[in-house]
Amino acid sequence: RGYVLRRLLRRALTRMNLLGVEEPFLAHAVDSVVDTMSGRYPILLERRRITVWLITEDPPREGERQSRP
């Protein structure tokens, strides 16, 4: 599960960079998503901090910055 989340987040960040969005937009959206979806997925409350860290601090691995069409 962690791998899938990390992959989705990195893909979203790559796409946002291609669109010219440079601020950590996804990091600001985490609270809204967790508040909305935590009733159905309680693990989101436990993983909120790690999710923000993945978005803002986790360095990309070699080759993951390039997006495939």
Side-chain angles (χ1 to χ4, degrees), residues 30-64:
V30 169
D31 289 331
S32 296
V33 172
V34 170
D35 292 342
T36 301
M37 302 299 293
S38 62
R40 178 106 170 131
Y41 303 100
I43 196 166
L44 292 174
L45 291 171
E46 300 168 20
R47 301 280 174 102
R48 181 188 310 239
R49 196 172 63 180
I50 189 74
T51 303
V52 171
W53 180 82
L54 282 171
I55 292 170
T56 58
E57 301 294 329
D58 190 26
R61 294 188 184 126
E62 187 65 33
E64 285 191 12

Side-chain angles (χ1 to χ4, degrees), residues 3 10-11 14 17 19 23 39 41 43 49:
Y3 168 77
R10 287 196 174 140
R11 183 169 295 208
T14 300
N17 286 338
L19 294 172
E23 66 180 57
Y41 303 100
I43 196 166
R49 196 172 63 180

